[in-house]
Amino acid sequence: MNGATTTGGLRAHNRVRLLRAVHDCGATRTRSQLTRDLGLARGTASVLVAGLAEDGLLHEEPAPEHARGRPTQVPGPHARGPLALAVDIREDAWELAACELGGRATVLGVRPHDGTPEGVLGPLGETIAAHARRLGSRVIGTGVALAGPVRHGGLVDIAHLGWRSVDVPRLLGLTPAPIVGNDTAFAALAEARRGRLQGVRVGLHLHVDFDLGGVLIVDGRPLAGASGTGAEFGHMPLTGDERPCPCGATGCWSMDVGANALLRHVGLAHGGGRGREQAELVLTTSQEAVTANATALGRGIAALVNAHDPEVVILSGHGAELYERAGETLLAACEPGLMTIRRDHPPRIEASALGWRGSLLGAMESVFDAFLTPEGLGRWRENHLDQGGDTPEEQNVTHSTLKGDKSP
Ligand SMILES: [Zn+2]
């Protein structure tokens, strides 16, 4: 039986819809706008909001500006409401944040790591567990983004770091188990929810850090592949390189785009997740290295556009920086690679709206996706009645190798 056909089931269904709408709009829409968007009766919406506020899931604030008369209320996160913990594990460091309904992220820590599975995941697991204890029953789950293919169940390969089938959930040792995903797929998911892929039916997202990851988004979801490892456009021989890639294939596109490629171009040591700062320096000082990277990026984009016919191509991480610094070079390299039928209406190429924060926010979205269900809200109701948790405070981050200051 469909739960939504009973009165209780319908209420549970509408609670989820309302919270989902508040979350997706970034807690910016008024109650009357949401009521209209969701096709609810005003009375029904009032009852729903009151119930959700009582359960510690929502809190209403007056709209910052409103016409004369009764102030308009904007539903947003409750001060003791649900928090998703989200981590972006890059090849050289990780960033951990606590995220509220609506998507606001509070950074809890940024830390460099040694690149080994135990060295990364052991201390990170302990840090997450300590925050989870402090925040108590407010924590609804943990999402973890990683810079490599992630098979269903959380087995991860990061070729540059020598990771083979690393059991990330086991090494993190968290209960309940975290949701583990690929950084590019998460960046694309976040872009589809609150960035430039909103409302796009078929889009291509390319995320460039030490190397390049790419994924196709269809109807707001990254294509996961049969085993979960679909986001690997970087490992296609799109630019004619012949060298072996650490992934095991030869001539991968990602050998020519990203921090490693920038470092290689100027003869600096690269690989193993080292050299972020030097690569950023190369990006700002070596026009030749930037041109080579942008050219390779443009050529590969043309091949993928021919194959997939996307409406838009989104670039994040260093991809956005390459586009900003050498956009014309990139487009000039892309155009000759396009089929004639693609040239009349080539897809838009745009920088991500979320900057370097996309992977972290996508990890958050995966946690809220699991929570914003009748079952997830039912569990919250059972658990939160006992005691609330602490409030996340911005931690004293003394060093930051990550760029992630842009909040959505
Ligand atoms: Zn490869």
Side-chain angles (χ1 to χ4, degrees):
M1 190 184 74
N2 181 349
T5 58
T6 64
T7 311
L10 186 61
R11 192 182 308 119
H13 176 68
N14 279 334
R15 281 163 62 90
V16 170
R17 287 177 69 219
L18 184 58
L19 286 178
R20 166 58 73 188
V22 170
H23 180 63
D24 285 351
C25 75
T28 56
R29 293 181 77 74
T30 65
R31 191 206 289 186
S32 48
Q33 285 170 326
L34 292 164
T35 304
R36 225 176 15 251
D37 293 349
L38 297 172
L40 296 170
R42 266 175 60 188
T44 306
S46 297
V47 172
L48 281 172
V49 168
L52 291 167
E54 196 174 314
D55 288 351
L57 286 161
L58 268 193
H59 172 73
E60 283 193 322
E61 289 278 348
E65 290 171 26
H66 56 85
R68 274 175 298 165
R70 278 172 28 155
T72 312
Q73 299 292 314
V74 178
H78 192 282
R80 307 192 84 77
L83 291 172
L85 297 179
V87 198
D88 182 11
I89 303 179
R90 303 186 190 177
E91 290 181 24
D92 55 350
W94 51 254
E95 180 176 25
L96 169 66
C99 309
E100 298 176 308
L101 187 84
R104 196 169 72 97
T106 302
V107 175
L108 301 176
V110 177
R111 211 174 291 172
H113 59 63
D114 68 5
T116 66
E118 292 75 15
V120 176
L121 300 170
L124 173 59
E126 285 166 21
T127 304
I128 295 171
H131 282 292
R133 277 193 300 277
R134 186 171 62 79
L135 298 167
S137 59
R138 295 187 65 189
V139 176
I140 55 169
T142 307
V144 183
L146 287 126
V150 180
R151 273 167 281 167
H152 293 317
L155 295 181
V156 178
D157 288 59
I158 302 178
H160 294 152
L161 302 182
W163 291 24
R164 284 286 289 135
S165 298
V166 171
D167 188 340
V168 170
R170 187 180 67 75
L171 288 175
L172 283 173
L174 300 170
T175 310
I179 298 169
V180 181
N182 173 265
D183 57 354
T184 300
F186 273 156
L189 177 65
E191 205 71 31
R193 295 293 173 76
R194 49 193 83 231
R196 303 235 153 85
L197 287 169
Q198 279 182 87
V200 169
R201 207 176 73 71
V202 179
L204 181 65
H205 189 108
L206 302 172
H207 179 65
V208 184
D209 192 6
F210 283 97
D211 70 354
L212 177 153
V215 68
L216 198 67
I217 302 286
V218 180
D219 294 327
R221 305 290 311 183
L223 279 193
S227 63
T229 59
E232 295 302 330
F233 287 152
H235 298 281
M236 295 168 73
L238 299 181
T239 40
D241 199 301
E242 292 294 324
R243 280 161 300 128
C245 173
C247 80
T250 303
C252 293
W253 186 26
S254 67
M255 302 283 286
D256 291 327
V257 185
N260 285 332
L262 288 165
L263 292 168
R264 200 189 74 229
H265 198 93
V266 296
L268 288 173
H270 55 90
R274 301 297 120 179
R276 180 181 296 277
E277 282 171 23
Q278 292 95 311
E280 283 167 3
L281 196 62
V282 173
L283 199 57
T284 54
T285 55
S286 170
Q287 193 55 45
E288 208 186 292
V290 169
T291 298
N293 262 249
T295 300
L297 185 55
R299 286 181 65 188
I301 287 173
L304 291 171
V305 167
N306 288 344
H308 295 297
D309 185 21
E311 294 164 51
V312 59
V313 180
I314 300 298
L315 303 171
S316 60
H318 290 314
E321 288 159 7
L322 287 169
Y323 190 49
E324 191 187 313
R325 290 176 183 282
E328 289 191 8
T329 303
L330 191 157
L331 294 175
C334 179
E335 212 205 323
L338 292 175
M339 299 162 70
T340 306
I341 60 161
R342 300 272 183 257
R343 279 189 209 172
D344 292 341
H345 303 285
R348 306 186 306 279
I349 298 178
E350 295 178 0
S352 157
L354 305 174
W356 282 89
R357 269 286 162 85
S359 302
L360 187 86
L361 293 175
M364 171 216 33
E365 298 295 357
S366 72
V367 174
F368 274 105
D369 284 356
F371 178 69
L372 293 175
T373 61
E375 298 73 31
L377 298 189
R379 275 195 301 278
W380 169 267
R381 208 166 183 187
E382 285 162 24
N383 293 338
H384 104 289
L385 296 172
D386 47 359
Q387 84 287 353
D390 203 349
T391 301
E393 278 167 26
E394 194 89 33
Q395 302 295 299
N396 209 0
V397 178
T398 50
H399 56 269
S400 174
T401 56
L402 304 187
K403 289 183 176 179
D405 298 325
K406 281 186 200 168
S407 286

